[in-house]
Amino acid sequence: MSVPPWLSDLFWTYQNVVVSLGVNGLLALSMYVVLAAGQLSLGQAAFMGLGAYASALLTLRLHAPFWAVLPAAMLVPVAFALLVGGPTLRLAGVYLAIATIGLGEVLRAVYLNVDALGGALGLSGIPEAAPLWLIYALLAAALLVFWRIGRSRVGRAMEAMRSDETAALAMGVNVRRYRLATLVASAALAGLAGALSAHSTDFIGPNDYGFEPAVSILSFALLGGIGSPIAPVVGAVVLTLLPELMRGFAELRLILNGVVIVLAVLFLPRGLVAWRMRRRAA
Amino acid sequence: MLPQQLVNGVLLGATYALFALGFTLMFGVLRVINLTYGFYFTAGAFVAWFVTRAGGGLWLALPAAALASGVIAVVVDALLLTRLRRARADELASLMVTLGAVLALYAALAALLGPDIRRLPPAVLGNEAISLDGVRVTQAQLLILGASVVLAGGLVWLVRFSRLGLAIRAVAENPDAAGLMGIDTARVAALVSFVSGTLAGAGGVLIGLAFNAIHPYMGEAMMLRGFVVVILGGLGDIFGALVAGLLLGVIEVLTAGYLASGLKEAVAFAILVLVLWTRPAGLFGRPVARRV
């Protein structure tokens, strides 16, 4: 392969950013699928952390091969999604939001206090086993799947739930089943993103999956919008690249993410990419 | 051993109750999970820190902190939530706005003042412990217990028995009908925000004293306990929040004493999930027909 040296230099310099773009794209999609069904989960970072910790522990302690840790990284967050989603999906939307913020806070405390999980030092020496092409292939696959689902009957049902739940119920949409299914899909996807990012960075720590990343993931989806699966990924790209360009201190990035959420909800409810998918008539 | 732990539990629980009072009031009346609440708590503690640094005593710092937090709460409500209320946006929209706002506020404060832990000067409140039958309590702990009981009592009185409380309950019940009956709903909303903000600010000072630590994210650190207390007590239930706070404190101290101190948060969360499975309306709540 004849890659010009300047291109390969550029790539190695910005490798972290290239990985973050793919991982954040997956996280934005995991947020999208929940929001598209009219719910709010603030546990995306927690689900990501569960995937990261589960996969890292399997790799480090049991020397499991990389292809085997990925399914585990999806199953563990799904179990927690069922635990938290089971009771809350029967209730009003705020209960899921509250319980999922709580999940993030408690997991941070657990990682910090349980020595078998690395404690305050976190887990280091994770092999960088996640190939870059795999991250982007999975992102493309997820986009394609959500695109197909969005245009189908299921997508229509989700949109109906989002705009008017009572009407959707009356039209025979099984709202509870869709809610649980979207939460499970979202947890699996976030867990996958967690495993991929843990296996491209060598180190994970208890504070990597707390309140701030949870809010940042929400800001990706709100900036891009949820009219189509492309939109949240665009949001993730913008909010991953912007701080890189500004070269500011870490707090600046958090302030930016917070302000983006406020402005998007107040003034830009359909997001930057307001264009919506077309559907064939039923 | 056990009596000391029960006392410690009640005292810890009083801090949780104190934190949760304004939070549950805000939800009960305005129907908003206002996550900026944690920032009012932080802001109160920092105002008190500045006042005591400038030489003021606790009796100046506490009201100043409460007042400042109350004003911040009114401003945040007017800037962010009034608009959504007018547009009849759903409660998830207002939750998301306050979430974004609180992250920006915490990060801005941390950028401005640095993330280090500060302490109120020790002279502010005597730190010597009072001993009774071998059970030790500090003055700050007693102050918190007293404050949370008095404030909860005062709030219940305000809401149940005063004329203003009647207006507040009317707005909580149905804002449109309350408006038609001649109640200035915007004023009630501002007032409820102010009262919640002052409670948070006062709570921030007292808890900053008791734990001897003030830092930008201290409000965020209380949030998990805040959620457990308001859900266990019933969203919007003031008396429920007091009981739930004390209960959670006792359970946590006993967990730390007899199981493992690292499990405190996990137990708090387990209670949250258990309540949501079995009694989502809270300890004293009656099940309500679900609004869909």
Side-chain angles (χ1 to χ4, degrees):
Chain A
M1 279 241 313
S2 61
V3 178
W6 64 268
L7 189 63
S8 114
D9 281 355
L10 195 73
F11 174 74
W12 288 113
T13 317
Y14 290 102
Q15 199 195 5
N16 293 342
V17 182
V18 179
V19 170
S20 306
L21 278 174
V23 168
N24 287 347
L26 283 170
L27 290 169
L29 281 177
S30 84
M31 190 77 239
Y32 159 82
V33 62
V34 183
L35 288 172
Q39 311 176 81
L40 178 59
S41 153
L42 297 170
Q44 300 317 108
F47 294 142
M48 179 197 185
L50 285 166
Y53 266 87
S55 66
L57 286 169
L58 281 175
T59 304
L60 292 174
R61 306 266 198 270
L62 299 179
H63 306 289
F66 182 63
W67 56 264
V69 303
L70 288 183
M74 295 165 80
L75 286 177
V76 174
V78 164
F80 277 82
L82 291 174
L83 178 76
V84 173
T88 48
L89 295 180
R90 294 174 297 155
L91 308 167
V94 290
Y95 286 92
L96 177 65
I98 291 183
T100 45
I101 302 187
L103 179 67
E105 302 277 318
V106 72
L107 286 176
R108 173 162 58 183
V110 169
Y111 300 142
L112 204 61
N113 289 316
V114 177
D115 288 335
L117 299 178
L121 295 176
L123 298 168
S124 52
I126 306 164
E128 298 185 14
L132 197 59
W133 64 263
L134 181 65
I135 298 178
Y136 280 88
L138 287 170
L139 178 61
L143 265 174
L144 191 69
V145 169
F146 283 137
W147 185 268
R148 300 286 304 203
I149 290 177
R151 290 188 51 158
S152 72
R153 215 182 126 79
V154 177
R156 203 175 304 123
M158 281 163 61
E159 194 169 328
M161 281 165 59
R162 185 167 84 229
S163 42
D164 189 334
E165 205 183 284
T166 317
L169 273 168
M171 299 302 287
V173 175
N174 190 337
V175 170
R176 264 182 71 182
R177 211 174 68 193
Y178 276 112
R179 281 177 160 181
L180 199 60
T182 49
L183 187 67
V184 163
S186 150
L189 200 55
L192 187 64
L196 292 170
S197 89
H199 283 81
S200 3
T201 52
D202 170 70
F203 167 79
I204 58 175
N207 294 321
D208 295 348
Y209 308 103
F211 181 66
E212 292 92 358
V215 184
S216 302
I217 295 170
L218 178 65
S219 70
F220 301 157
L222 289 183
L223 179 68
I226 50 169
S228 67
I230 301 285
V233 178
V234 172
V237 170
V238 172
L239 285 177
T240 312
L241 289 182
L242 212 55
E244 291 296 324
L245 297 176
M246 295 192 305
R247 287 272 159 222
F249 45 109
E251 267 94 12
L252 206 60
R253 196 173 49 79
L254 296 178
I255 297 175
L256 175 76
N257 287 338
V259 170
V260 160
I261 292 182
V262 172
L263 295 181
V265 176
L266 290 182
F267 303 111
L268 204 68
R270 303 173 104 201
L272 277 184
V273 189
W275 168 79
R276 289 170 54 185
M277 278 185 287
R278 280 175 51 190
R279 263 188 212 109
R280 279 159 300 170
Chain B
M1 191 65 179
L2 186 64
Q4 174 77 60
Q5 275 178 340
L6 287 178
V7 168
N8 286 349
V10 167
L11 293 168
L12 180 69
T15 63
Y16 296 160
L18 185 59
F19 178 77
L21 283 179
F23 193 45
T24 204
L25 174 72
M26 226 171 220
F27 181 85
V29 181
L30 305 177
R31 300 277 141 199
V32 174
I33 298 283
N34 188 340
L35 297 175
T36 53
Y37 186 79
F39 180 77
Y40 311 153
F41 181 80
T42 301
F46 271 96
V47 168
W49 185 77
F50 280 115
V51 169
T52 50
R53 286 255 301 185
L58 184 64
W59 306 114
L60 180 64
L62 194 59
L67 197 69
S69 303
V71 171
I72 296 174
V74 173
V75 171
V76 168
D77 188 77
L79 283 181
L80 301 181
L81 297 175
T82 315
R83 178 190 300 271
L84 290 173
R85 221 171 279 137
R86 222 179 285 136
R88 298 181 178 276
D90 68 1
E91 44 195 12
L92 291 185
S94 39
L95 200 158
M96 289 192 280
V97 163
T98 60
L99 183 69
V102 78
L103 179 68
L105 288 169
Y106 282 140
L109 194 68
L112 218 60
L113 299 173
D116 353 313
I117 292 178
R118 289 148 208 263
R119 298 173 202 294
L120 288 171
V124 165
L125 192 68
N127 219 4
E128 64 272 30
I130 300 156
S131 205
L132 220 158
D133 273 345
V135 176
R136 280 178 81 250
V137 286
T138 66
Q139 289 186 24
Q141 288 176 320
L142 280 182
L143 194 60
I144 286 176
L145 183 63
S148 43
V149 171
V150 168
L151 288 174
L155 262 188
V156 169
W157 175 83
L158 175 80
V159 173
R160 290 260 172 84
F161 300 107
S162 73
R163 194 173 158 76
L164 180 64
L166 189 64
I168 291 177
R169 276 178 292 146
V171 172
E173 188 87 14
N174 186 336
D176 295 327
L180 290 174
M181 294 300 116
I183 293 170
D184 185 346
T185 53
R187 225 187 88 223
V188 169
L191 209 110
V192 167
S193 300
F194 182 77
V195 172
S196 303
T198 52
L199 287 171
V205 180
L206 293 177
I207 294 170
L209 266 177
F211 293 166
N212 199 16
I214 292 174
H215 58 98
Y217 286 91
M218 62 188 282
E220 213 262 301
M222 286 296 281
M223 235 33 202
L224 172 64
R225 272 51 175 250
F227 288 141
V228 178
V229 170
V230 295
I231 300 272
L232 182 61
L235 269 173
D237 185 341
I238 295 163
F239 179 71
L242 181 66
V243 176
L246 296 179
L247 198 62
L248 179 64
V250 171
I251 293 174
E252 280 196 7
V253 168
L254 293 182
T255 307
Y258 294 100
L259 290 171
S261 68
L263 284 179
K264 276 187 307 189
E265 284 86 1
V267 167
F269 185 71
I271 294 173
L272 178 69
V273 173
L274 200 69
V275 172
L276 288 175
W277 275 108
T278 54
R279 286 195 69 89
L283 280 179
F284 311 105
R286 270 163 298 163
V288 279
R290 195 180 140 226
R291 297 181 306 144
V292 276

